[in-house]
Amino acid sequence: AAGLRAAMCEEWPPADAPDGGERAELRLTAESREAALYDYLDQLIYERDVRSVLPVDHEAEEADGESWTVDASYRGVPLSAVTARDVKAVTYSEMRLERVDGTWEAYVVFDV
């Protein structure tokens, strides 16, 4: 999510600024960890398009079981308060999500 935000914008107002935006929550469920990541990033692009906000300050947790669930929140900074580039979509075909030295690493390609 931070990579998506960085692809869209380099600077944004702090949370306590008048145009700092408000927190919003998301909950997604998918059949695999990769699908959950894809759906989460895709939902953030949807939020930008529909709510006209730049999603920043992401917080997310995952839970596994029969399906993968992501409970997340972000701060939606009004697009009118930033200069943002358009990211059109997340591409699933080259996505890679793996554990390296105890840390999760993701490789995601965005369609701009």
Side-chain angles (χ1 to χ4, degrees):
L4 174 62
R5 187 256 318 133
M8 289 192 283
C9 189
E10 292 154 8
E11 294 183 22
W12 56 93
D16 59 356
D19 54 1
E22 296 182 14
R23 291 212 70 80
E25 295 184 1
L26 302 173
R27 182 178 182 104
L28 304 164
T29 301
E31 71 273 355
S32 70
R33 181 178 279 131
E34 291 79 6
L37 175 59
Y38 175 89
D39 290 349
Y40 176 53
L41 296 173
D42 191 53
Q43 183 66 36
L44 292 175
I45 292 171
Y46 175 81
E47 295 286 315
R48 183 215 52 211
D49 291 346
V50 171
R51 295 187 56 224
S52 296
V53 295
L54 174 70
V56 301
D57 298 340
H58 307 277
E59 295 178 12
E61 294 182 5
E62 67 166 339
D64 61 345
E66 291 183 25
S67 61
W68 292 87
T69 300
V70 177
D71 287 311
S73 68
Y74 68 89
R75 180 168 53 97
V77 175
L79 287 178
S80 60
V82 296
T83 301
R85 293 176 289 276
D86 189 28
V87 173
K88 297 178 184 175
V90 182
T91 55
Y92 197 91
S93 62
E94 296 182 49
M95 182 181 292
R96 188 178 71 246
L97 182 61
E98 60 189 0
R99 218 163 192 18
V100 177
D101 297 327
T103 302
W104 284 105
E105 289 187 9
Y107 177 80
V108 180
V109 175
F110 299 113
D111 182 11
V112 293

